[in-house]
Amino acid sequence: MEPERPEGNGSGESGELAPKGRGAGLVSRARAQGLALKERAEAEAKTYKDPQQTQLWKSIFRVSHDRSDPRNRSLAILSNVFLHLHPAKVNRDATRYSFTWGMGGITFYLFIVLTFTGILLMFYYHPTKVQAFRDILYLEHDVPFGKLLRNMHRWAAHLMIITTWLHMFRVVLTGSYKRPREFNWCVGVVLLVLTLLLSFTGYLLPDDQLGFWAVTVGTNMARSTPMLGSEGPFGPQMGMTPFNDVRFGLLGGSIVDSNALLRSYIWHCIGIPVVASLFMAVHFWRIRKDGGISGPAPVMLESEMKAVKK
Amino acid sequence: MSTVIERPRSNRWLLWLVVSLAVVGALALMVDDWGQLWKISSAPDNIPIVMMIPLVVFFTWLGLKQSKDNDKLVGELEEDPALAKSHHRKTQPWRPGWARELHVWPYLVRVEFLAAIIVTIILFVWSILLNAPLEEPANPNLTMNPSKAPWYFLGLQEMLVYFDPWIAGVVMPSLLLVGLMVFPYVDSNPLGNGYYSWRQRRFAVSMFLWGFFMWIILIIIGTFIRGPGWMWFWPGQTWDHNRVVFDRNRDLHEIVAGWGLPFLNLYPWKAIFGAVVVGVVFVTGGLFFHWLMLRRRLEWADIKSPARLKGWAKKNGEFEEKLLARTSILQYLTFQFFAITVLWLFPVKLLLRLLFTIKYIWVTPWFNV
């Protein structure tokens, strides 16, 4: 908005007011121009009082969220990259906590918390036999808030497993895996496995007795894989030895050592999170495509059950 | 539509309180070593399990409570077709003129935001109060005893007691996951989609609960009961590292051979015997699940009178038969396979091992079950 200029401003031709002489004319012209600039700046500054009307704001937020008409409420969701996974409207009873328990959302939120704390932890951690354990000590005793960081990562991981199970439990109790959501249930089962594997691969990283023996116990089972493990049924017949079987592949060696630490680290920080993110994308996308949240749906009656089409 | 029904005040809760206090008291008297119990249940990595138990109880209650409410509504609507036509069919309140849908902004987003804040606060408090465990540096020459997998895999580790590693560690988990994945495809019941219900989905829900609780019980056994040498220590019993247990772990065929059938100790008879026993377990499991899926609802009155209970056990439910008719042969067989192997064979094996110290029921030169 261009503030309107006062009449005759800056032209220096309004003869009546102008004092005589060249020097006097210059001063009065400059004064008049200065006044005009001030007025203009004041008028402009008024427009900045509402930050939401500035070009900068409008370039970031595409719609105004301060009015609560239906169009704006819908746009608030639809035009936001983080929220657009949501529909604009939702079953009124689905916003009650008692139906969904919020467990799926909390699981995803914990994944975000874990990514955030995990990235920060990566700054202080080397996946090598020499340094790994010392890095944990360093985190616990020297890094500012290092202990809090590690604790949060640990407890969020445990909590995520519990919330994943409870989410699955709720989906079963509400029959939400039923048509058309069968496939998304399967994606969810894959995500459950990935969650467990994420936690398991992280267990080894402190390189302490707890992680070492837990992973030893866990990977020892892989020895017994049928056909692919050196001690499994038909394993020896397939040419499997402790130095080429599936356990060797998992650990990068025949014992839990430096290669296992590195493999565990890469699976934990890159491999599984990437795969899990892909499955999450499908999982969330399918929720929308399969008709959004499943309920609370109106109850059906036994007497209304249709006969099977044969 | 709803009328307030005044229920007579009952003192039954007092009875429950006294009984549960008595049970807790009796259990507390049995605890020998409180220090040991505290050591196990306060180990930082065991806190999630301690926390999970009340959470699972709470959410089971929350789910079943809503099922009960819905079931009551279904019962009312079944009896009154006129009401069924006009009712909005939810237990949540609704009035004509109310929108059936709400804007996600702000009504859902604010709930999510609040949940995120609460979870963050919980995490901060938990992390400030309790440190993540850190043991001594990894030492391959010093075996931890007991050396346990992370708690969520303790179910698998506990299975190692009952099965050979390739079954416990590879086959069973795979069956469990594939079984979970086929769950929606074998459940042919169209009812109960998107609302809590027990009445309409008793069999499906109880099958899942059976598996879910079995998994959690295995974790609890693995955490609280398995001590040094993976031996069975009751909660409150001191973990004695020098304890020796003289388990007579015998195979089933050896016991039966002792009853005057010595040839069962020799091949091929012991393998054939084992195959027959496993076959019998499979068939009884199948018959049991078939029987169970056709039961109508068990009412309190059925339990009280033996004659009614007999009738309940013998006569198939009408609704349940309709559901079975909707199930394809493939669905039925798939369900039976997973139900028998995961939900039947496993508990049978567990009980045989824990109660009768029987190690294998089927011994062959290639594998043992």
Side-chain angles (χ1 to χ4, degrees), chain B residues 53-116:
Chain B
I53 297 167
L55 277 177
V56 166
V57 172
F58 170 74
F59 282 111
T60 309
W61 169 81
L62 187 64
L64 292 183
K65 179 181 153 283
Q66 292 177 81
S67 308
K68 206 178 148 195
D69 295 345
N70 280 334
D71 292 348
K72 195 165 154 259
L73 178 68
V74 168
E76 284 167 12
L77 297 184
E78 289 280 9
E79 280 172 18
D80 188 348
L83 182 64
K85 275 188 183 153
S86 61
H87 198 277
H88 74 286
R89 297 197 170 198
K90 289 189 193 182
T91 47
Q92 289 85 2
W94 191 76
R95 285 199 196 120
W98 280 11
R100 285 184 189 273
E101 291 196 319
L102 293 179
H103 276 285
V104 167
W105 184 286
Y107 299 108
L108 182 62
V109 182
R110 71 179 178 196
V111 180
E112 292 173 342
F113 185 56
L114 198 64

Side-chain angles (χ1 to χ4, degrees), chain A residues 75-92:
Chain A
L75 284 174
I77 299 297
L78 300 178
S79 65
N80 184 308
V81 67
F82 302 106
L83 298 178
H84 87 282
L85 273 170
H86 289 305
K89 280 184 157 189
V90 71
N91 178 348
R92 73 174 299 128

Side-chain angles (χ1 to χ4, degrees), chain A residues 86 90 92 98-99 109 150-151 154 174 177-178 185 199 203 208-209 224 296 300 302-304 306, chain B residues 45 66 78 89-90 99 102 112 120 127 132-133 135-136 139 152 166 180 187 189 191 194 196 200 326:
Chain A
H86 289 305
V90 71
R92 73 174 299 128
S98 58
F99 182 73
Y109 177 66
R150 179 168 121 80
N151 290 350
R154 182 86 169 202
T174 56
Y177 58 77
K178 297 191 178 200
W185 163 269
S199 191
Y203 220 68
D208 64 343
Q209 282 284 69
S224 318
M300 268 176 71
E302 285 123 79
S303 50
E304 291 169 345
K306 286 176 199 136
Chain B
D45 260 3
Q66 292 177 81
E78 289 280 9
R89 297 197 170 198
K90 289 189 193 182
L102 293 179
E112 292 173 342
T120 311
S127 305
E135 306 263 339
E136 288 162 32
N139 183 355
Y152 38 84
W166 68 278
L180 271 176
D187 184 357
N189 182 352
L191 302 182
Y196 290 92
Q200 295 176 339
R326 296 178 67 94

Side-chain angles (χ1 to χ4, degrees), chain A:
Chain A
M1 281 223 291
E2 291 260 320
E4 275 185 39
R5 297 177 180 201
E7 272 179 52
N9 176 39
S11 62
E13 283 169 21
S14 45
E16 296 160 69
L17 285 170
K20 300 227 159 56
R22 288 187 73 167
L26 202 66
V27 170
S28 72
R29 268 212 310 281
R31 189 162 166 268
Q33 272 177 351
L35 275 173
L37 201 63
K38 186 188 160 210
E39 269 176 47
R40 193 179 154 188
E42 274 172 0
E44 212 177 296
K46 263 183 206 159
T47 64
Y48 300 143
K49 276 201 174 163
D50 186 359
Q52 296 199 20
Q53 294 305 319
T54 59
Q55 189 186 359
L56 179 67
W57 181 282
K58 283 180 179 172
S59 72
I60 300 172
F61 303 101
R62 299 178 60 233
V63 286
S64 147
H65 290 182
D66 61 344
R67 292 190 304 276
S68 61
D69 53 285
R71 185 183 134 81
N72 268 290
R73 284 183 168 182
S74 303
L75 284 174
I77 299 297
L78 300 178
S79 65
N80 184 308
V81 67
F82 302 106
L83 298 178
H84 87 282
L85 273 170
H86 289 305
K89 280 184 157 189
V90 71
N91 178 348
R92 73 174 299 128
D93 302 312
T95 56
R96 286 166 186 272
Y97 176 74
S98 58
F99 182 73
T100 65
W101 312 343
M103 284 302 159
I106 291 175
T107 306
F108 179 53
Y109 177 66
L110 287 170
F111 181 78
I112 295 170
V113 170
L114 284 161
T115 309
F116 182 73
T117 51
I119 288 172
L120 291 179
L121 286 171
M122 283 170 84
F123 283 116
Y124 298 100
Y125 178 82
H126 306 74
T128 63
K129 274 306 238 190
V130 178
Q131 272 170 295
F133 187 79
R134 292 173 195 192
D135 284 338
I136 307 297
L137 294 181
Y138 178 56
L139 259 167
E140 291 210 330
H141 299 288
D142 293 305
V143 176
F145 300 108
K147 204 172 209 173
L148 184 71
L149 201 61
R150 179 168 121 80
N151 290 350
M152 270 183 90
H153 196 74
R154 182 86 169 202
W155 303 138
H158 283 332
L159 199 59
M160 186 170 163
I161 288 169
I162 298 177
T163 55
T164 310
W165 287 356
L166 289 175
H167 173 60
M168 184 172 78
F169 188 31
R170 190 280 295 175
V171 168
V172 170
L173 287 186
T174 56
S176 303
Y177 58 77
K178 297 191 178 200
R179 199 177 302 198
R181 296 180 178 83
E182 306 101 315
F183 180 71
N184 214 13
W185 163 269
C186 295
V187 176
V189 173
V190 174
L191 281 170
L192 168 74
V193 178
L194 291 174
T195 309
L196 293 174
L197 289 179
L198 267 173
S199 191
F200 186 65
T201 48
Y203 220 68
L204 181 67
L205 298 183
D207 199 26
D208 64 343
Q209 282 284 69
L210 197 65
F212 178 85
W213 288 103
V215 170
T216 304
V217 168
T219 50
N220 271 347
M221 290 191 199
R223 275 190 229 266
S224 318
T225 314
M227 306 220 258
L228 296 175
S230 56
E231 290 173 14
F234 308 112
Q237 287 85 340
M238 299 288 286
M240 290 297 154
T241 67
F243 304 100
N244 66 0
D245 66 349
V246 62
R247 179 171 173 274
F248 189 93
L250 289 174
L251 296 177
S254 58
I255 51 164
V256 180
D257 205 49
S258 52
N259 280 351
L261 196 60
L262 184 63
R263 286 192 185 198
S264 190
Y265 179 72
I266 293 170
W267 278 119
H268 184 72
C269 303
I270 300 166
I272 304 175
V274 166
V275 178
S277 303
L278 279 173
F279 274 89
M280 265 187 267
V282 176
H283 199 56
F284 300 160
W285 184 75
R286 280 299 294 248
I287 296 174
R288 284 295 301 281
K289 293 294 152 186
D290 293 340
I293 190 156
S294 63
V299 294
M300 268 176 71
L301 304 183
E302 285 123 79
S303 50
E304 291 169 345
M305 193 162 72
K306 286 176 199 136
V308 219
K309 283 174 213 154
K310 287 209 171 157

